[in-house]
Amino acid sequence: MKIVVCIKQLLDPRGITVNRKAEKVFVIREEYVLDPASKAALEVAEQIKANAAAIEIIALSVGPARVDEALREALARGADRAIWIRSDSNPDPKVITNLLAAAIKQLGPIDLVLCGDRSLDTGSGEIAARLAEALDWPQILRAAKAEVKGRVLAAIVQHSGFVAVETPLPAVVSIIAEAFSGQHANGGRLMDAYKKWQVETWTTEDLSLSEDDLRTSTIKKEDAFPPARQPGTKVRNAKDLVVMLKQEKIIA
Amino acid sequence: MKRLNFSEEPRDIWVVAETHAGKLAPLTLELTYGARTMADLMGFYVKVALSGSDVTDLASQLFPVGADRVYVADDPRLAEFAVEPWLKVLSDLFVSQPPEFAMLGATSIGDALAPRLAQRFGAGLISRCVMLKVDDFERAFVGRRAAFGGEYYEVLTTAGAKSHFATVLPDTFGAPYPDASRYGEIESIAVNLDGVVAKIKTIGPVDYALPAPKLKNARRIVSVGRQVGDIDAAKSLATKLGAELAGAREAIDEKYIDESHVVGVTGERVSADLYVALGIRGDTMHTYGMKGARYVVAVHPDPDAPILKQADAAIVGDPAKVAKELIELLN
Amino acid sequence: MDFEFSREHQALRKLVREFAEEEVRPATRQADRTSQPPLDVIKKAAAIGLLGVPFPREYGGLGAGETGYCILMEELGRVDTSVATVIGAHIGIGAMAIYLGGNQHLREKYLPDLCAGKKIAAFALTEAQAGSDAASIKLRATREGDSYILDGSKMWITNGPLASVMAVLAVTDPALGARGGATAFVIETRHNGSPAEGFTPGKYEHKMGLHGSPTSALSFDNFRVPQENVLGQIGLGFVVFMQTLDVGRVSLGAATLGGAQSVLHHALEWAAMREQFGKSIAQNQSIQFMVADMAAEIEALRSLVYRTAWLVDNHKPFIKEAGMCKLLGSEIASRCVDRAGQIYGALGYSRDTDVERSYRDCRITEIFEGTNEIQRILIAEQLFREVGVKIRP
Ligand SMILES: Cc1cc2nc3c(=O)[nH]c(=O)nc-3n(C[C@H](O)[C@H](O)[C@H](O)COP(=O)(O)OP(=O)(O)OC[C@H]3O[C@@H](n4cnc5c(N)ncnc54)[C@H](O)[C@@H]3O)c2cc1C
């Protein structure tokens, strides 16, 4: 059985500060990390592997050369194979999906695709459902855990609780970041990931894709900033506070 | 990828409706109203796709908030939401009536359908918008989406795409002002679910506990000090918000928290999105640990408490009372 | 010249930093208060391979060399000197003596379990009357058939109460003394958790700091060691022990580097926030001078430590530089922690702050693994040797 885990690397949020007044995002420390939701997805893959025989985990990541580091971390977190899908332009979720789907098809029969549900940075949370469309597979979104028993069994977040769902294989499942246990990468595997194992490189030429497939349909224009917060802003009561928190999108 | 065939300029903004317990979702009304505002600027029509079982009677409620035409797919097989049947119905509808613009709620239904529709039709998609408008020059959606948990926004555009989709969070357009005199048309559409099966089977609720986040990584924190008044109110607020309970150093003396939950120079440094300080005075020893929090709410009875000058939202008052009112309002 | 760490070393640093912040930091205060080593943290470190950093993969290590090991020590030292010391005594000198002195058989027998954290190691040199003058040790090892019998005691041994494997130096030929008459052994002091026959660990030493790192005396009474457990050659154990300490000093320098770096960080953050006389204390030049001095010293130490690690990994002479790492590292850390405490004011005297704990923890680094006076002697000895003068017999 083969499991593909699609992983995302992002700018470490601890390295940036947002200055609303200056309307600027300052990158204090440009460091890239594996998105927690991707770590959660890798962890689920590892758990599935631990409970079954002969499972190959393949990590895929679309991006510039720096995603190599994320892929090596994926190897250290239990992936058996890591493939960098090279993309130097700024792909949108549609193009990322097309690249991933083409790679998944090329990898031969894949039973399960795991993704992070929504990334910490500017995550659209679209990839899993888009992949399900591109592959014409069922999708389970916002899962906290997933098991394979001939089919996929998952616990998904619904309202404030969890609901058990199941679907036949092959399927796409997205895993929420909150499910990540905090487990660290394995040091020995990490060293092997750099010294012994390879990250394969696939380019768009290796994948059968049309020009249309590679054309973005949603692009970022700019950053926008909410009004700078005024420290010491007096609020009269709980009711006004709720309004403010909603305005700040802190509560829904 | 399916190609949408725009035989003539569609000039429509679509809304995909959701119903809950036999009622239109408030978000659907808000989106329809938002679509109306945009359509008026552009000289467009507002069309709503309403799917479900026994939903035809609800259609007319969409006219006062702005719908011109409601397409109703009323079929017992659509009683419960399931990806495949709903997708089939919407896809068929959109093939026959190619949408230039379409909005869905940023809900579990919208999150499940919008990416699939966008992928299917090669449409542009802006997910989880907190602001959305039509750029009349580009004839595209321009939307804002929270970046890094909402500290700022990314502005995205679907310019260049043929159709433009968005999922939208509540309160983006604000409460609708219904116009009772507005009217529109209802068209019932044929539901063809031949060969379509819902592939996800729901088994039922399960108990599952997410790993507890470490205090320094917690996204929400309710933090207490000596003046909290009623610790149980603070604890209930934490539960309500899904927050971790923490405190200033003196909260240990009151046995409100243990040593591992101190925020400050003698404890943890946190990075929560929301930090609610209840009855904490706010000397530097405490605020040192709180500095990384994105949004600080402080409630303290003493108007001179230093924390009130630093908080993004400061309430002079009884922390326990405010906590209880908050729980009430959040229910 | 290339001052960039290799990619695997950068990845290792990220892993260790994350581990130290997420796992070690939450356990430090409890360990300091209760004087109990955070064994679950050590187990977690073992589970992800961090106890094998310097050793080759064939012995269950990570093969990250001295540079990798210094990275581990720096990142642990940044968060908790106690844990760094437990792990340092376990790997950096305990297991290291087996690696440097042991034959293939002994390496294969002991290193995998030590790397996996199944067993904890210690390094036992010091005795009550033999501190700086390590050559005057008295622990006796007498030959009996194909075994040696140990009689006597050791003192101040890190991990003494925990370890089940120890590198120990004993006198096999009193007539020859340490040079020629001392032999290094690897011994098993615990079986299934209880002390082996003839071995009694002393009580936990109550210390000024390093509370999370247990120290005790050891006593041996008719304790049997098979002859095959000799590390290196009979009579040449002093060499094995001194070589081990030479390497250990580089990583001790790295641990002090981490400690110094961390108190500087605390001092900067606090100085920026603390207001007195209507402005942040950081606006006073006297505070600025303190942090500038700290940073300059730390930067110099960083260069020294990693260059020395590079010397070790590239099999170049490093003894003089290793002594300098230990000497400068411990003194820079002490100066930094003193200044940070000053910047913290009363808070720096409170048991609830990291700076106060660092103050107590860091003092020992000027003393153990060869006092700083001894380091100066060793450095001077090397310096004179370079101009062809022998200053010690
Ligand atoms: C927490 C802790 C952990 C330890 N862990 C270990 C361990 O794991 N294994 C181990 O073997 N030992 C260990 N030790 C022992 C440590 O290495 C010794 O304490 C150290 O070598 C100094 O020996 P001493 O205490 O006997 O001091 P002494 O040798 O008595 O020295 C006292 C003072 O005299 C100075 N002095 C001595 N000789 C000279 C000289 N020739 N010239 C100038 N000055 C001199 C010293 O520098 C020092 O200032 C540990 C000690 C402590 C406190």
Side-chain angles (χ1 to χ4, degrees):
Chain A
M1 183 172 145
K2 285 186 181 174
I3 301 177
V4 161
V5 187
C6 304
I7 61 167
K8 175 171 178 178
Q9 186 190 48
L10 50 85
L11 193 58
D12 187 349
R14 287 168 297 190
I16 66 164
T17 50
V18 176
N19 187 330
R20 291 183 175 186
K21 217 179 227 153
E23 307 217 319
K24 251 188 155 146
V25 179
F26 292 95
V27 179
I28 313 274
R29 198 163 35 82
E30 190 180 353
E31 220 175 88
Y32 291 86
V33 292
L34 191 52
D35 181 49
S38 295
K39 288 185 189 173
L42 284 163
E43 189 170 53
V44 167
E46 232 193 338
Q47 284 159 1
I48 293 172
K49 185 171 172 161
N51 293 316
I55 287 182
E56 187 185 19
I57 300 172
I58 306 165
L60 299 185
S61 192
V62 175
R66 60 171 159 76
V67 304
D68 180 86
E69 187 185 334
L71 284 162
R72 290 188 202 265
E73 182 172 342
L75 290 168
R77 289 181 178 278
D80 301 292
R81 223 178 129 181
I83 301 170
W84 169 36
I85 303 170
R86 185 180 173 148
S87 157
D88 297 318
S89 59
N90 244 331
D92 68 352
K94 172 196 146 190
V95 176
I96 293 172
T97 302
N98 286 334
L99 290 165
L100 291 171
I104 290 165
K105 285 176 188 159
Q106 194 144 318
L107 281 166
I110 298 293
D111 304 275
L112 179 64
V113 171
L114 298 171
C115 304
D117 182 72
R118 205 174 285 156
S119 65
L120 203 60
D121 52 351
T122 54
S124 65
E126 295 169 17
I127 300 294
R130 280 180 180 271
L131 269 176
E133 177 66 25
L135 299 165
D136 197 16
W137 291 0
Q139 69 195 34
I140 293 177
L141 306 183
R142 298 191 67 63
K145 80 174 195 191
E147 292 165 31
V148 173
K149 285 188 185 134
R151 42 192 22 231
V152 192
L153 287 148
I156 61 167
V157 185
Q158 217 162 66
H159 309 298
S160 49
F162 291 92
V163 171
V165 295
E166 61 169 41
T167 194
L169 296 168
V172 181
V173 181
S174 77
I175 310 291
I176 56 169
E178 293 80 1
F180 179 55
S181 73
Q183 173 65 39
H184 304 280
N186 180 281
R189 292 190 64 100
L190 190 64
M191 293 299 106
D192 282 345
Y194 280 95
K195 295 208 271 204
K196 216 159 106 189
W197 303 328
Q198 300 299 323
V199 170
E200 296 159 57
T201 308
W202 288 10
T203 64
T204 42
E205 285 85 70
D206 299 321
L207 303 163
S208 44
L209 287 166
S210 69
E211 217 169 284
D212 225 22
D213 293 333
L214 295 173
R215 190 175 306 124
T216 58
S217 61
T218 312
I219 44 177
K220 179 173 155 175
K221 259 175 76 144
E222 60 198 359
D223 290 329
F225 297 82
R229 284 184 295 248
Q230 209 53 53
T233 302
K234 288 274 184 303
V235 180
R236 279 178 310 170
N237 51 36
K239 212 165 153 195
D240 290 0
L241 176 62
V242 169
V243 173
M244 284 180 72
L245 292 177
K246 281 192 175 165
Q247 259 166 14
E248 277 282 339
K249 304 290 170 202
I250 286 171
I251 58 172
Chain B
M1 195 166 89
K2 296 193 177 150
R3 289 202 173 275
L4 289 177
N5 183 15
F6 292 95
S7 45
E8 50 184 290
E9 289 246 308
R11 310 185 69 83
D12 303 319
I13 299 182
W14 282 82
V15 172
V16 175
E18 289 181 36
T19 62
H20 293 298
K23 281 196 193 141
L24 285 166
L27 182 56
T28 296
L29 298 173
E30 186 188 337
L31 294 194
T32 309
Y33 175 68
R36 179 79 259 150
T37 315
M38 290 192 266
D40 284 347
L41 288 172
M42 304 286 294
F44 277 20
Y45 294 105
V46 173
K47 294 181 173 174
V48 180
L50 174 60
S51 317
S53 177
D54 282 333
V55 291
T56 309
D57 290 349
L58 301 174
S60 60
Q61 295 172 24
L62 289 157
F63 301 131
V65 291
D68 294 308
R69 205 177 173 95
V70 181
Y71 292 81
V72 185
D74 200 333
D75 191 298
R77 289 170 294 175
L78 298 171
E80 292 288 320
F81 171 76
V83 176
E84 290 79 9
W86 281 59
L87 199 55
K88 174 73 167 45
V89 168
L90 283 171
S91 183
D92 286 351
L93 179 61
F94 285 167
V95 168
S96 69
Q97 308 258 348
E100 187 175 1
F101 293 94
M103 285 192 278
L104 293 86
T107 59
S108 55
I109 292 177
D111 286 346
L113 294 177
R116 294 201 68 146
L117 290 166
Q119 190 72 17
R120 185 167 293 188
F121 298 126
L125 169 62
I126 311 176
S127 286
R128 312 190 67 74
C129 294
V130 295
M131 192 225 72
L132 182 71
K133 58 180 192 207
V134 171
D135 177 337
D136 54 357
F137 180 69
E138 297 272 6
R139 271 185 87 131
F141 267 148
V142 175
R144 282 185 183 186
R145 170 166 81 216
F148 288 97
E151 214 23 48
Y152 67 102
Y153 302 116
E154 259 194 339
V155 183
L156 295 143
T157 167
T158 55
K162 278 224 179 73
S163 351
H164 312 273
F165 287 18
T167 64
V168 182
L169 283 160
D171 295 327
T172 295
F173 299 113
Y177 288 103
D179 175 355
S181 67
R182 285 201 78 257
Y183 57 91
E185 293 164 41
I186 299 175
E187 187 177 319
S188 113
I189 52 174
V191 175
N192 175 3
L193 291 178
D194 292 349
V196 177
V197 278
K199 290 183 186 152
I200 311 292
K201 195 172 127 199
T202 301
I203 300 166
V206 276
D207 276 340
Y208 181 79
L210 289 170
K214 302 214 164 78
L215 186 58
K216 71 185 170 90
N217 300 329
R219 292 334 305 158
R220 290 177 175 180
I221 292 170
V222 170
S223 198
V224 298
R226 215 188 289 283
Q227 303 293 330
V228 65
D230 174 4
I231 185 66
D232 293 325
K235 282 183 181 162
S236 309
L237 180 62
T239 312
K240 185 75 221 161
L241 287 168
E244 297 294 306
L245 189 77
R249 192 182 187 210
E250 75 265 12
I252 309 175
D253 304 339
E254 307 290 334
K255 306 260 190 305
Y256 294 155
I257 53 161
D258 65 19
E259 234 179 330
S260 64
H261 285 79
V262 176
V263 173
V265 71
T266 64
E268 286 292 348
R269 306 186 68 186
V270 301
S271 61
D273 293 329
L274 173 64
Y275 188 87
V276 184
L278 299 176
I280 297 175
R281 274 198 72 77
D283 48 53
T284 319
M285 271 202 244
H286 177 71
T287 54
Y288 180 87
M290 176 190 96
K291 211 171 56 157
R294 185 154 78 81
Y295 196 89
V296 175
V297 173
V299 189
H300 202 280
D302 176 1
D304 293 327
I307 198 151
L308 296 173
K309 290 193 188 63
Q310 296 185 34
D312 300 299
I315 300 180
V316 179
D318 172 10
K321 188 168 151 272
V322 174
K324 284 176 193 154
E325 285 166 4
L326 273 175
I327 297 169
E328 203 54 37
L329 289 162
L330 293 170
N331 271 332
Chain C
M1 228 191 306
D2 186 0
F3 283 102
E4 200 67 85
F5 285 98
S6 72
R7 291 191 65 208
E8 70 262 22
H9 282 141
Q10 291 178 36
L12 179 66
R13 184 183 293 281
K14 252 188 179 173
L15 173 64
V16 181
R17 180 165 302 179
E18 195 186 280
F19 181 84
E21 287 297 335
E22 303 273 329
E23 311 294 341
V24 181
R25 192 179 290 289
T28 51
R29 184 166 304 169
Q30 176 81 358
D32 182 46
R33 292 277 166 82
T34 60
S35 292
Q36 291 298 323
L39 291 179
D40 51 330
V41 173
I42 308 288
K43 278 206 191 87
K44 281 186 190 170
I48 59 166
L50 295 185
L51 298 190
V53 170
F55 303 120
R57 297 303 301 270
E58 68 246 46
Y59 302 120
L62 295 193
E66 185 64 15
T67 306
Y69 185 59
C70 282
I71 288 170
L72 173 76
M73 282 295 128
E74 182 191 342
E75 294 301 329
L76 290 175
R78 196 189 279 269
V79 172
D80 186 14
T81 317
S82 281
V83 167
T85 304
V86 171
I87 294 181
H90 168 57
I91 311 177
I93 48 179
M96 187 59 80
I98 301 170
Y99 177 65
L100 292 177
N103 55 26
Q104 192 68 9
H105 166 71
L106 291 175
R107 286 175 171 189
E108 275 168 9
K109 182 168 177 195
Y110 291 105
L111 291 178
D113 277 358
L114 296 177
C115 290
K118 287 186 191 146
K119 291 177 178 158
I120 295 294
F123 176 90
L125 170 63
T126 308
E127 296 177 9
Q129 80 302 339
S132 299
D133 183 11
S136 67
I137 54 159
K138 291 282 179 290
L139 176 69
R140 188 75 171 86
T142 29
R143 181 90 191 230
E144 202 184 279
D146 50 9
S147 297
Y148 280 89
I149 305 296
L150 298 189
D151 281 297
S153 58
K154 293 284 176 186
M155 204 168 178
W156 307 113
I157 306 305
T158 301
N159 295 350
L162 292 180
S164 44
V165 172
M166 294 186 188
V168 55
L169 190 67
V171 180
T172 36
D173 187 343
L176 287 174
R179 286 159 220 276
T183 303
F185 297 91
V186 49
I187 59 173
E188 294 181 31
T189 49
R190 276 172 190 275
H191 297 293
N192 303 322
S194 31
E197 207 183 312
F199 169 73
T200 321
K203 68 162 186 60
Y204 268 56
E205 216 52 78
H206 291 297
K207 308 189 294 295
M208 170 189 194
L210 280 195
H211 292 170
S213 159
T215 316
S216 75
L218 316 171
S219 81
F220 299 92
D221 178 14
N222 208 14
F223 181 92
R224 187 173 294 270
V225 199
Q227 190 194 337
E228 62 168 42
N229 278 23
V230 170
L231 293 173
Q233 291 175 38
I234 292 167
L236 295 182
F238 203 69
V239 178
V240 172
F241 265 54
M242 289 306 120
Q243 276 175 350
T244 304
L245 285 176
D246 285 337
V247 182
R249 279 166 195 146
V250 188
S251 47
L252 180 56
T256 56
L257 169 64
Q261 181 76 61
S262 126
V263 292
L264 168 60
H265 180 74
H266 286 309
L268 287 170
E269 298 260 341
W270 179 253
M273 280 193 80
R274 173 69 176 172
E275 289 188 2
Q276 286 295 285
F277 300 102
K279 59 180 185 186
S280 92
I281 59 168
Q283 284 168 27
N284 299 306
Q285 205 177 46
S286 57
I287 304 275
Q288 294 162 12
F289 280 17
M290 282 198 252
V291 294
D293 287 346
M294 286 157 88
E297 292 187 348
I298 288 167
E299 240 2 83
L301 178 60
R302 180 181 308 284
S303 299
L304 173 64
V305 164
Y306 287 104
R307 181 172 172 278
T308 311
W310 178 85
L311 292 174
V312 178
D313 284 338
N314 288 281
H315 314 290
K316 293 178 192 293
F318 66 90
I319 294 176
K320 182 181 68 182
E321 288 80 358
M324 292 172 174
C325 287
K326 179 341 178 147
L327 170 67
L328 269 184
S330 57
E331 294 187 358
I332 288 173
S334 291
R335 280 199 290 276
C336 286
V337 78
D338 186 64
R339 293 182 188 120
Q342 195 67 18
I343 291 172
Y344 257 49
L347 200 56
Y349 204 65
S350 158
R351 284 250 158 146
D352 286 340
T353 63
D354 288 349
V355 168
E356 184 271 348
R357 179 170 46 77
S358 299
Y359 193 96
R360 284 179 285 118
D361 284 354
C362 133
R363 186 63 182 84
I364 184 60
T365 58
E366 293 180 54
I367 298 168
F368 67 8
E369 294 208 27
T371 66
N372 284 9
E373 290 71 28
I374 298 301
Q375 302 308 320
R376 288 182 164 91
I377 293 170
L378 292 175
I379 294 164
E381 195 184 330
Q382 296 293 325
L383 289 172
F384 281 107
R385 181 174 295 174
E386 284 165 16
V387 295
V389 180
K390 210 169 165 201
I391 57 166
R392 271 222 299 194

